Each structure stands twice: as structure tokens, then as C-alpha cells.
Amino acid sequence: MRRGGGPRGARASGHGQRLRGRREEHRKRNASELSVDTHDNTLPGLEAEYGRARRNAHGVFSILKFTIVIAPIRSRIRCIMVLPVLAAAAVLRYVPAHDELKYTFGGAAPVRHIQPGTRIVSWTEDCFDGALTKPGQKPSEVLAPGHDNPQTGPFYVDGAEPGDTLAIRIEKLEPARDHGVSVAFPGFGALKGTDKTAMLGADLPETVWFYEVDRAKGVARTSAHDGKPGWEVPLAPFLGCLGVSPAYGEARSTIVPGDFGGNMDCPEVRAGNTVYLGVRVAGGLVSFGDGHYAMGDGEIMGTAIEGAMNVELTVDLIKHRDTPWPRIENDSFMMSVGAARPLEDAARIAFKDMVRWVQESTGLSEMDAYEFVSQNAKAPITQIVDPEYTVTVKIPKNRLPKRR
């Protein structure tokens, strides 16, 4: 597989477009060699070729630089072919102590410096800071205020500067415990009165569901509180939080999503997908947490099936490419994430970003890209409970018009 690739007939996105000069790879007359650093993505498609070669090696190797064969053609220099130079991939194994967890995006010193291309093998605590350990406990009784969604990190990516983009490939996610927890909090949830959605009447009670993780069957299982039959939910692990430090030295709570990523609660932040986050401060300062074992669209209760997570991800760097809002990509889809209140503004952000991404990928005009997105997009309501709501807009890559 290759970043920006897809099934046969799919078109590469702007973040993953193949280097077009490969069409001329047999024209080697008077050729010379030029070494280019992988992370200086000044040639179109360089990042895509990098991702392809790395993943074809099944994570064992990572490309540290390219050898590009070039030849003068009509007084111009054209790229002929790309020859990857492979070296052992950098791997960081890091499990945070509890006092190393963070509760903001921004405002925290990095726990480690990493080189672009580093695979992080780690772990992250659940959204309740590990405080709920047995049935009968309530967050209001055991959870320290302000300790929601603890983060692993942040990690300083050497060479990352504002105007660059981090490409974070989610390699592997698996439940780190044999139970998950979902909670109904008073004043938090889509069908409850909140500080922003004022309602008369009593609040719904604080209620806790413990889920047994059945790894063999691939489900999480719980019981009804009134003794009636319980239910099962298929396991579909993802990270509720993945973000960088916001701009201007700002620190944001880990319950908030935004243009920096954060608490997006997006099920597409899952194994096999690549998340693109624009760098806002030097080093990016990327962190992750809030493991979800499963979640329905909207997250209307206010929580998913929450749990600690074993995490493996690879952090790459795309130089000189800005990403205003989070983007997600796999072989089949390109996805834009918007966060705001009211919900329609979150949708507008995501749709606008997708129009721009389609323009970058296909060369369509603004109006044609607008019409294309209008007729092809899917836009699930990701969550409608956090301080900002989240919408994800998805476009199938195999429907993208062919760039001419």
C-alpha cells in the first residue's frame, strides 16, 4: 500500500500524489544523481513515495533519504526515477508513569525528542485517569477535577516548524485492559441540559456501565442495570484524542477539539489510517490518549466504551505543507474534520477543507470542486457532546476526477 494510493482505479490525493517524473524512468541519458532529504518535501509526490516504500517493508525499514536520478531535458531538469535508501527504522518504546501524563494540549514540556519517521510503541490511560477500577464507583467520587483524557506525550518532532504537517500513521491499537467503562455524567451529553443548552427539569442520574472485553469474540459486553438482558458491541478501537500544541502558546483542555486536533472523538483515528495535523509551534508537540474500544456516531451519552490502550504509531514530517484542519486518509477515503458550535459550523469547516483538498488533488476549480463534494461526500456526525462538536466529511478516492 502507499499513502495516497488505493484500490485499482483510485486517484492519489494531494498529500499522497505519486511523483510524475517516474514516467520517464528509462530516459537516463546524461543522468546524474542528487540526494534529497526525505523530509524536505519540495518535490511533488516525494512524501507519497516515502510512505509507500516504508510500508512495503512492513514497518521494518524506513526511508531516510532518496536518491533521485535526473537528466537535463530541453534546458530543464526533470526527475527520472526515485531510488529509496533504506535504513533501520527508529523505534521509541515509552510507557508514561502516571505523573508524566498531561491534561492539556500545549503548555507542557516534551517528554522526548524524536526524529521524523520514528515509530512510537506506547500506552495511554483511559479518559477517567484510571480512577474507575470496579463496578459501583462513580467518577464524581473518585476522579480528580481536571484530570479528564490524560495524554501520553507530548513528543517534540525534530525539524518540525509552523507551516509544516505531521503525518501520523496509526499502526496498531489494542485494548490494554479486559474491561471498558461508559458513564452518563450529569450535565454532559446530547440529550441532557448543559451549561450551554439550558433546560428545566431534573438531570439524568450519574450511571456507570462496566464492559467485559471478549477478545476472542471481538466484542465488549455489559449488563442492563434493571436485570434485563444486556448487549454486546463489536470492538472497534480508536484514539479519541490525537493533537498537537495550539498556536500562540495557548494551552487547551483535553476535552476540547480544534484545528490542532485534540479531543476529536473521531472513529477514523484508527489503525491503518494516517492523520495529518498542521504544525503550530516548533516541534509540533504531538500527544495522544482517550482510548475508545467502541463508539456509536454522535457519542450521545458523552462517553464511548472507554479504556486504556496499547498504541503503536509512526510520526512523519511533511515540510512546507500547511494543513489548516485535521485530515485523515487511507487507501479508500480522504477525510476532513471540522470542530465548532453550532453543529452546522463544524460541518462547514469540514466541507470547506474537503473542497480545498479536492482542488489540490485534482486541479478542479473552486466551483467544480464544490459541486463534486456536494454530490459525493458522506458526513457522519462524529460527536455532539464536547465543548465543540465534530463532523467528518469523507470522499471516496475512486471517484476523484483524473488530473490532466
Side-chain angles (χ1 to χ4, degrees):
M1 294 186 295
R2 59 184 169 86
R3 178 174 297 125
R8 185 169 297 178
R11 303 299 176 196
S13 73
H15 280 279
Q17 190 174 4
R18 179 178 292 273
L19 194 63
R20 295 183 183 277
R22 288 191 59 150
R23 295 174 182 172
E24 303 176 21
E25 67 178 327
H26 298 296
R27 300 182 63 180
K28 301 176 182 178
R29 185 171 48 204
N30 300 321
S32 60
E33 289 191 352
L34 170 69
S35 292
V36 179
D37 185 83
T38 293
H39 306 291
D40 181 12
N41 191 29
T42 55
L43 294 176
L46 199 57
E47 188 271 335
E49 193 65 24
Y50 165 47
R52 174 176 179 263
R54 177 176 61 78
R55 286 197 293 279
N56 281 350
H58 303 291
V60 178
F61 296 100
S62 179
I63 295 174
L64 300 182
K65 66 178 182 177
F66 287 97
T67 299
I68 298 180
V69 179
I70 58 175
I73 301 173
R74 296 180 184 175
S75 76
R76 294 184 297 168
I77 292 180
R78 288 188 180 181
C79 183
I80 304 303
M81 65 181 182
V82 178
L83 304 175
V85 179
L86 297 180
V91 177
L92 171 66
R93 299 183 185 276
Y94 171 76
V95 177
H98 192 268
D99 61 4
E100 292 180 296
L101 298 173
K102 307 300 189 301
Y103 303 94
T104 60
F105 295 102
V111 295
R112 296 287 190 279
H113 281 241
I114 62 172
Q115 289 292 318
T118 298
R119 186 183 184 110
I120 300 174
V121 180
S122 190
W123 171 92
T124 192
E125 186 54 273
D126 66 32
C127 75
F128 307 112
D129 206 29
L132 293 174
T133 59
K134 59 186 178 181
Q137 294 177 318
K138 293 182 178 180
S140 61
E141 299 169 349
V142 299
L143 180 59
H147 278 218
D148 307 277
N149 293 347
Q151 297 294 292
T152 296
F155 299 93
Y156 188 107
V157 182
D158 291 340
E161 299 172 315
D164 299 338
T165 289
L166 297 184
I168 304 160
R169 167 81 176 181
I170 313 296
E171 308 285 2
K172 184 178 181 180
L173 298 174
E174 62 179 15
R177 295 190 178 121
D178 292 330
H179 70 271
V181 184
S182 183
V183 174
F185 288 101
F188 189 70
L191 304 181
K192 307 168 193 174
T194 70
D195 59 337
K196 294 182 175 63
T197 304
M199 295 184 183
L200 296 173
D203 207 339
L204 295 175
E206 185 175 20
T207 309
V208 179
W209 291 263
F210 263 72
Y211 282 78
E212 171 198 357
V213 174
D214 186 336
R215 300 174 192 272
K217 193 174 179 181
V219 299
R221 184 182 302 111
T222 195
S223 300
H225 280 277
D226 59 5
K228 292 185 174 65
W231 55 89
E232 295 179 344
V233 181
L235 293 173
F238 68 96
L239 292 173
C241 288
L242 177 63
V244 294
S245 180
Y248 312 119
E250 185 178 8
R252 302 294 302 275
S253 164
T254 52
I255 67 170
V256 177
D259 60 3
F260 56 91
N263 189 30
M264 296 181 285
D265 286 329
C266 177
E268 295 294 347
V269 184
R270 59 178 174 84
N273 287 358
T274 298
V275 181
Y276 300 99
L277 297 175
V279 175
R280 306 288 188 256
V281 301
L285 298 180
V286 61
S287 62
F288 52 86
D290 187 25
H292 290 189
Y293 295 172
M295 189 188 85
D297 285 352
E299 198 184 16
I300 63 171
M301 183 59 78
T303 59
I305 300 176
E306 311 278 348
M309 194 79 79
N310 294 322
V311 179
E312 295 187 27
L313 50 81
T314 300
V315 182
D316 289 326
L317 177 62
I318 307 174
K319 293 295 292 181
H320 313 303
R321 187 194 294 275
D322 185 36
T323 301
W325 282 87
R327 291 176 175 180
I328 305 173
E329 185 175 25
N330 58 32
D331 284 348
S332 301
F333 287 93
M334 48 200 288
M335 296 164 266
S336 292
V337 179
R341 284 201 189 194
L343 181 63
E344 55 264 36
D345 281 349
R348 288 185 179 106
I349 289 169
F351 277 115
K352 177 185 175 182
D353 186 72
M354 182 55 72
V355 169
R356 295 292 183 242
W357 198 357
V358 168
Q359 285 184 267
E360 296 165 10
S361 302
T362 66
L364 289 177
S365 69
E366 180 177 72
M367 289 304 296
D368 284 334
Y370 185 6
E371 170 65 9
F372 172 81
V373 171
S374 178
Q375 305 307 331
N376 287 280
K378 302 295 183 185
I381 298 173
T382 305
Q383 59 81 18
I384 48 174
V385 294
D386 292 335
E388 307 285 359
Y389 298 154
T390 342
V391 172
T392 304
V393 170
K394 307 171 67 172
I395 287 287
K397 286 184 175 180
N398 60 7
R399 295 186 188 177
L400 288 172
K402 186 174 182 180
R403 181 188 283 270
R404 293 182 179 176

